[in-house]
Amino acid sequence: MGKILLLGDRYTVSLFRMMGAEGKVVEDPYSLEDEIKNVRKMEDVDLVLITKDLYDPVRERLESVISSQTKPLITVIPSPYSEAEPMDVRKLILRALGFG
């Protein structure tokens, strides 16, 4: 099984590291696209989580990159600094299986 990598703020990355996941602190949302390109080269990463507060400012630039990505699977999660919205779990599962 591959690794989980979180791209986000210091607090959220620290929490995920305590749970055994890898994480990288990203201060500037506009560097997120470059970070995703670097992660694509990592063969052992299967899931990339991006905090919502980091993703929102660059949503339009990254939507096509993320939606076309099959491995690693990239998804956005809420952070303590963002408003949480209900997740469409069915949509996430279909996307993970290659149908979305």
Side-chain angles (χ1 to χ4, degrees):
M1 181 164 196
K3 296 180 185 176
I4 297 173
L5 176 69
L6 172 74
L7 301 175
D9 59 88
R10 287 186 195 288
Y11 179 75
T12 309
V13 167
S14 296
L15 290 174
F16 272 76
R17 283 183 180 158
M18 288 188 334
M19 294 186 296
E22 292 188 21
K24 180 163 184 175
V25 176
V26 179
E27 302 285 341
D28 179 20
Y30 295 96
S31 67
L32 191 56
E33 189 170 4
D34 292 332
E35 294 294 339
I36 290 172
K37 287 178 185 176
N38 291 335
V39 169
R40 284 177 152 170
K41 298 174 188 173
M42 300 172 148
E43 295 288 326
D44 59 342
V45 175
D46 284 339
L47 177 63
V48 178
L49 305 172
I50 302 172
T51 54
K52 187 175 184 324
D53 57 317
L54 187 63
Y55 173 75
D56 280 345
V58 291
R59 174 185 299 249
E60 291 179 10
R61 287 176 40 186
L62 294 179
E63 266 185 1
S64 64
V65 172
I66 290 175
S67 64
S68 66
Q69 186 72 26
T70 56
K71 184 174 189 287
L73 178 64
I74 301 173
T75 192
V76 179
I77 62 167
S79 74
Y81 310 108
S82 64
E83 291 184 26
E85 297 174 8
M87 293 176 69
D88 186 351
V89 177
R90 183 174 181 264
K91 182 177 177 182
L92 289 174
I93 292 171
L94 288 174
R95 185 167 164 232
L97 295 173
F99 296 108

